[in-house]
């Protein structure tokens, strides 16, 4: 509607509908599908195209190309807590996870018992891979082929620790490269499309085009606070830069004779320290109501 109003007022405007969620059957069409974290890739490509001074038509074409090659899936260990809600969403109690859970807490494909990181990675990649993608102006559904270059976005849905998401990312990359046999050339990890405190992760896979146009736009610098620089694996590299072991830093031992020990003397230190600690404790006790209010 906003696009139509803008065009009606003489301001050229075009629209790209992102519907990358693999949890929604294609039979529902774009109006029934959900746009999830794959939207971030579309935004990045559109922004980089605009920054290069391209026309609206060129921007729309690149955003549409990117959009046609993305598909995503989320997995959550706990549902989102909606601010102001009078009840808690507790449908994932009892050591369960939900595959395909929506970012607003909508039901996913199915619930499952808790899985390991490797099992979750396999479930996510297999679901996304089997779903496939519809290339722009293509006649049917395509899947990643052996040797294809892809970019990954492993998105923190809000309540997942860096430790957990790093372990899962490693499992996803290993499964894609060893089983699907594609080449993960770019890995973006972070909290880019969150759902308040949802304890979960979404995976977006972007199949890069043959001419590498999308990759070049993804690599353009961005000052967006949440955007992270990717680990780029080029065609001529034997291994990923982040997998290269760095040499251990060896610190030269210091002889005892080289250590300088200086004695600092503070007159009446014991009484001064006692008075300072006592004054600090008194100030905290007296200001407890105000500190509680601020907290």
């Amino acid at each position: 509607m906003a696009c139509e109003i803008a065009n009606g007022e003489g301001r050229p405007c075009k629209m790209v509908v992102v519907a990358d969620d693999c949890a929604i059957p294609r039979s529902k069409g774009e109006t029934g599908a959900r746009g999830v974290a794959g939207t971030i890739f579309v935004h990045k490509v559109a922004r980089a195209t605009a920054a290069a001074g391209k026309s609206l038509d060129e921007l729309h074409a690149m955003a549409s190309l990117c959009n046609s090659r993305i598909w995503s899936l989320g997995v959550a260990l706990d549902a989102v807590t909606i601010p102001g809600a009078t009840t808690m969403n507790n449908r994932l109690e009892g050591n369960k996870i939900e595959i395909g859970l929506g970012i607003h807490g909508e039901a996913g494909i199915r619930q499952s018992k808790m899985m390991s990181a490797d099992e979750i990675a396999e479930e996510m990649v297999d679901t996304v891979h089997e779903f496939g993608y519809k290339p722009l102006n293509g006649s049917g559904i395509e899947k990643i082929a052996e040797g294809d270059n892809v970019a990954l976005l492993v998105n923190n849905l809000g309540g997942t620790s860096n430790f957990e998401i790093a372990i899962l990312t490693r499992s996803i990359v290993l499964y894609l490269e060893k089983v699907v046999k594609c080449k993960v050339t770019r890995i973006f990890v972070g909290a880019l499309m969150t759902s308040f405190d949802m304890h979960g992760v979404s995976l977006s896979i972007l199949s890069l085009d043959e001419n590498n146009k999308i990759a070049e736009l993804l690599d353009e610098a961005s000052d967006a606070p949440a955007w992270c620089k990717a680990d780029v694996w080029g065609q001529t590299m034997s291994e990923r830069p982040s997998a290269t072991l760095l040499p251990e830093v060896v610190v030269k031992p210091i002889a005892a004779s080289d250590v300088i020990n200086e004695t600092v003397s503070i007159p009446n230190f014991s009484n001064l320290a006692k008075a300072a600690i006592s004054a600090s404790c008194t100030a905290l006790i007296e200001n407890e109501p105000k500190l509680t209010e601020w907290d």
Side-chain angles (χ1 to χ4, degrees):
M1 185 181 294
C3 183
E4 293 175 356
I5 292 173
N7 283 317
E9 294 175 348
R11 290 178 289 176
C13 186
K14 292 198 172 187
M15 179 172 63
V16 176
V17 178
V18 182
D20 57 313
D21 193 352
C22 295
I24 303 296
R26 281 198 171 88
S27 58
K28 290 185 175 290
E30 286 190 346
T31 55
R34 298 189 292 231
V36 285
T39 308
I40 302 299
F41 277 141
V42 179
H43 287 180
K44 178 62 174 69
V45 166
R47 182 268 180 195
T49 305
K54 303 298 182 180
S55 67
L56 175 61
D57 286 340
E58 291 172 307
L59 189 154
H60 181 262
M62 283 308 305
S64 298
L65 174 64
C66 178
N67 182 40
S68 70
R69 305 178 73 88
I70 303 170
W71 56 127
S72 306
L73 185 74
V75 170
L77 282 67
D78 201 1
V80 59
T81 302
I82 304 297
T86 56
T87 58
M88 295 286 290
N89 189 334
N90 58 4
R91 73 172 186 265
L92 288 180
E93 287 184 342
N95 206 31
K96 292 186 294 187
I97 64 173
E98 187 153 350
I99 300 162
L101 189 72
I103 59 174
H104 302 106
E106 310 97 319
I109 300 171
R110 64 182 176 88
Q111 292 186 354
S112 167
K113 64 177 180 61
M114 183 62 69
M115 300 179 183
S116 67
D118 287 345
E119 291 170 332
I120 292 174
E122 181 177 348
E123 180 75 30
M124 295 180 84
V125 172
D126 283 349
T127 301
V128 170
H129 186 220
E130 287 303 313
F131 192 85
Y133 65 99
K134 295 180 69 175
L136 197 64
N137 302 322
S139 57
I141 306 300
E142 293 189 15
K143 297 179 181 179
I144 305 173
E146 183 175 338
D148 282 358
N149 293 329
V150 301
L152 299 186
L153 169 57
V154 185
N155 173 59
N156 187 343
L157 288 169
T160 308
S161 69
N162 290 338
F163 188 66
E164 292 170 304
I165 203 168
I167 292 173
L168 181 59
T169 300
R170 178 181 181 275
S171 296
I172 290 170
V173 173
L174 288 176
Y175 189 79
L176 275 166
E177 295 185 340
K178 290 184 177 180
V179 178
V180 182
K181 299 186 184 302
C182 62
K183 190 168 185 178
V184 181
T185 66
R186 285 156 182 81
I187 308 169
F188 300 91
V189 181
L192 284 94
M193 182 178 280
T194 60
S195 183
F196 292 110
D197 63 342
M198 185 182 287
H199 189 184
V201 169
S202 68
L203 167 66
S204 297
I205 301 180
L206 169 58
S207 177
L208 299 173
D209 60 298
E210 297 80 0
N211 298 319
N212 228 29
K213 292 181 179 179
I214 296 175
E216 292 173 0
L217 295 170
L218 290 177
D219 293 344
E220 287 293 327
S222 172
D223 56 5
W227 185 255
C228 49
K229 187 176 180 180
D231 180 16
V232 178
W233 187 15
Q235 297 283 359
T236 59
M237 299 179 184
S238 59
E239 65 176 347
R240 184 169 287 107
S242 60
T244 304
L245 292 176
L246 299 177
E248 183 177 353
V249 177
V250 179
V251 179
K252 183 180 179 181
I254 301 176
S257 58
D258 295 332
V259 177
I260 300 174
N261 291 316
E262 294 186 2
T263 302
V264 178
S265 178
I266 301 177
N268 201 24
F269 176 76
S270 178
N271 290 333
L272 288 174
K274 182 178 179 180
I277 294 171
S278 178
S280 299
C281 293
T282 300
L284 286 171
I285 293 169
E286 291 176 349
N287 289 281
E288 185 273 332
K290 187 175 292 184
L291 292 170
T292 302
E293 179 184 352
W294 291 342
D295 184 57

